[in-house]
Amino acid sequence: MNLPALKREWLSNIRGDSLAGITVALALIPEAIAFSIIAGVNPMVGLYASICIAVVIAFAGGRPGMISAATGSMALIMIVLVRDYGLEYLLAATILTGILQLVLGWLKVGRFITFVPYPVVLGFVNALAILIFLAQLPFFIGASWMMYAMVAGTLAIVYILPRFTKAIPSSLAAIVVMTAIAIGTGISVLTVGDIGTITRALPIFHLPVVPISLETLLIILPYSVTLVIVGLLESLLTASIVDEMTDTKSDRDREVRGQGYANTITGFFGGMAGCAMIGQSVINIKSGATGRLSSLVAGLFLLFLIIALGDVLARIPMAALVGVMIMVALSTFDWRSVRDLPKVPVSDAVIMVITIAIVVFTHDLAKGVIAGVVLSALVFGWRISAINATATIRSNGVKIYTVKGQVFFGTMEAFIDLFDYANDPERVEIDLTHSHIWDQSAVAAIAKVVDKYQQRGKSVYVTGLNPESQETLDKGFS
């Protein structure tokens, strides 16, 4: 990294990055604990993962300002592995996940995120916002009026404080104020300590206690592959969202490698696999972060909170954190996409809605995104497979077919059927000025058309080829 980049990514916004990192660290605690519970492991596994991943990704990641830690989408994949084989196999799977991500990073697969269509990205973002909001609802079940009042107070501070001052992030101010009220008044509300036990201990290096054998590899490999797919999809899509929020560009291949380094190291320090978090990244950016320092501060401050202020940390009311996450959900959801539904093509609207539905009902981002990409590909294939031709006859008796559309495997049969072989004159010209030859199937289709005319003793000429099409045709006939 050159000196200007070092200054820009680390030193250009020290105050903003530091305050945003502190805010994110506080918001990470209940999520890390909750995700650990989902996976069936001790809460410290999620907290250690969040610390290690946030610190490593600050140096190795490709998207300054983005937050990575333990996530719910990854935790869902781990449930069966932990249930059937235990924590040690989860740690081994986490290390393998990191190694696979490193390999993919060096193969530069980050560019393939550009193949995810915009309706799918919108569906991903909106589904994640809905999931974040739904995840807060259980905290209201059986809650007293104080829970509702503190959530409302948190939201009021979050939205009103920025009108008067932006000296500190409003989310951080809301958490501090609500915690002070809860401790000062002694009211009985659900706290972070009620969600899970926080052990005041540093993460230590630990080799997973699993047999080093082919059998072990075959057990953890399917889980690791799924973790790789989900982690990279969520990380790269989140990077794209942060790119748009900050009007800057990320290094996708470096981000893939960064996720690999983070998960590999995390597995050796007792943490579970993680990836980028859109909710926390939104909190980070909206709290004023722009650089890598915010992620480093988030990880180190989370460690400080656990070690030095574990008792105080346990007394933070969940109402404050729920209020912050509701704000994140409302800010993450792309409300314009709903308003613009009548204006966009029906196929794009359907793809977005289906992506949202699959993610929300399965709680699996990978399933929703993959389904959206497949649907988009089918729609694109349907649109691009439209091909037609207009026929005119010159004064010299030559019949000209002007073809419009793409010639490839999907239009091969339709292209062959465009021509009236029996009734056409002795000389035929096929004008491909408005078309393109894409593959060997297209070359074979043209060869069949030429052969059909020649069998009837007629001559046919192919004209209007662009250089790429001419090259493809020449190679096909060589």
Side-chain angles (χ1 to χ4, degrees):
M1 183 184 294
N2 55 42
L3 188 59
L6 181 68
K7 290 181 178 179
R8 183 179 66 254
E9 295 182 359
W10 285 96
L11 306 174
S12 63
N13 184 33
I14 295 176
R15 182 176 179 278
D17 284 341
S18 298
L19 289 174
I22 292 171
T23 305
V24 167
L26 291 169
L28 278 174
I29 295 162
E31 292 204 346
I33 294 173
F35 299 153
S36 299
I37 294 170
I38 289 173
V41 295
N42 186 285
M44 295 309 297
V45 175
L47 289 168
Y48 286 157
S50 296
I51 292 167
C52 294
I53 293 172
V55 170
V56 173
I57 212 71
F59 296 95
R63 173 62 264 179
M66 189 167 76
I67 299 297
S68 295
T71 64
S73 57
M74 302 286 269
L76 289 169
I77 300 166
M78 305 169 190
I79 296 173
V80 176
L81 177 62
V82 174
R83 183 193 66 198
D84 293 347
Y85 298 99
L87 174 62
E88 298 298 327
Y89 278 82
L90 170 59
L91 299 181
T94 296
I95 294 168
L96 180 58
T97 298
I99 293 171
L100 293 175
Q101 288 175 327
L102 280 171
V103 172
L104 292 176
W106 291 114
L107 292 175
K108 299 186 181 299
V109 301
R111 71 190 72 177
F112 292 110
I113 194 63
T114 58
F115 292 144
V116 179
Y118 190 60
V120 179
V121 174
L122 285 177
F124 165 83
V125 172
N126 292 343
L128 208 47
I130 293 170
L131 288 180
I132 291 171
F133 179 79
L134 293 177
Q136 313 313 310
L137 298 184
F139 293 106
F140 291 97
I141 298 175
S144 66
W145 66 270
M146 281 303 303
M147 172 71 177
Y148 292 88
M150 294 190 78
V151 170
T154 300
L155 289 170
I157 294 173
V158 165
Y159 286 110
I160 295 174
L161 182 62
R163 298 182 183 180
F164 298 96
T165 179
K166 294 184 179 180
I168 61 171
S170 58
S171 299
L172 177 58
I175 293 171
V176 171
V177 170
M178 290 300 130
T179 302
I181 292 174
I183 295 175
T185 61
I187 57 176
S188 178
V189 291
L190 188 70
T191 64
V192 169
D194 296 326
I195 302 298
T197 303
I198 297 177
T199 305
R200 298 168 67 174
L202 289 168
I204 58 174
F205 183 81
H206 170 76
L207 287 173
V209 183
V210 296
I212 301 176
S213 64
L214 178 61
E215 182 182 0
T216 300
L217 178 62
L218 293 177
I219 290 172
I220 64 176
L221 183 60
Y223 296 98
S224 294
V225 169
T226 306
L227 288 168
V228 167
I229 295 171
V230 172
L232 293 186
L233 277 174
E234 191 165 350
S235 296
L236 294 176
L237 287 176
T238 302
S240 297
I241 293 163
V242 176
D243 287 352
E244 187 173 337
M245 290 178 68
T246 59
D247 196 25
T248 56
K249 289 292 182 182
S250 56
D251 185 336
R252 295 189 178 99
D253 292 320
R254 181 177 176 180
E255 182 61 36
V256 174
R257 295 193 299 272
Q259 294 292 330
Y261 286 123
N263 281 319
T264 302
I265 293 171
T266 296
F268 284 117
F269 282 87
M272 57 197 236
C275 63
M277 305 179 74
I278 185 171
Q280 303 300 339
S281 298
V282 169
I283 290 178
N284 199 40
I285 299 301
K286 287 187 174 294
S287 296
T290 58
R292 298 179 179 276
L293 184 61
S294 58
S295 181
L296 179 62
V297 169
L300 293 179
F301 190 70
L302 179 56
L303 179 62
F304 170 77
L305 289 172
I306 293 170
I307 301 300
L309 300 175
D311 295 337
V312 176
L313 191 63
R315 300 180 70 180
I316 295 176
M318 283 303 302
L321 298 174
V322 168
V324 170
M325 295 311 296
I326 289 176
M327 177 275 293
V328 170
L330 295 175
S331 301
T332 301
F333 194 92
D334 192 326
W335 299 98
R336 186 176 60 182
S337 66
V338 178
R339 188 184 67 238
D340 291 344
L341 272 179
K343 303 176 185 178
V344 302
V346 173
S347 58
D348 287 355
V350 170
I351 289 168
M352 184 186 78
V353 171
I354 289 176
T355 302
I356 292 173
I358 292 175
V359 172
V360 171
F361 283 104
T362 66
H363 286 226
D364 190 328
L365 292 166
K367 285 189 176 72
V369 172
I370 291 171
V373 170
V374 170
L375 283 174
S376 297
L378 291 174
V379 170
F380 175 75
W382 179 264
R383 288 174 177 170
I384 202 175
S385 63
I387 190 170
N388 59 76
T390 56
T392 57
I393 299 179
R394 288 179 182 165
S395 57
N396 60 2
V398 176
K399 187 172 183 178
I400 302 174
Y401 284 95
T402 302
V403 179
K404 294 182 179 180
Q406 309 303 308
V407 188
F408 67 112
F409 67 90
T411 59
M412 179 179 177
E413 295 298 328
F415 176 79
I416 295 172
D417 293 338
L418 290 175
F419 308 98
D420 187 359
Y421 305 100
N423 300 315
D424 279 346
E426 297 300 313
R427 296 177 62 194
V428 175
E429 178 181 329
I430 301 174
D431 182 4
L432 295 178
T433 302
H434 305 288
S435 188
H436 188 90
I437 297 173
W438 287 102
D439 54 17
Q440 187 61 33
S441 296
V443 175
I446 293 173
K448 283 187 178 181
V449 170
V450 172
D451 185 59
K452 283 177 177 288
Y453 277 116
Q454 289 179 343
Q455 286 178 5
R456 292 169 172 78
K458 301 174 183 180
S459 57
V460 58
Y461 306 91
V462 178
T463 63
L465 291 170
N466 58 45
E468 294 83 1
S469 296
Q470 184 68 61
E471 183 180 358
T472 303
L473 194 62
D474 291 342
K475 287 181 178 179
F477 280 111
S478 60

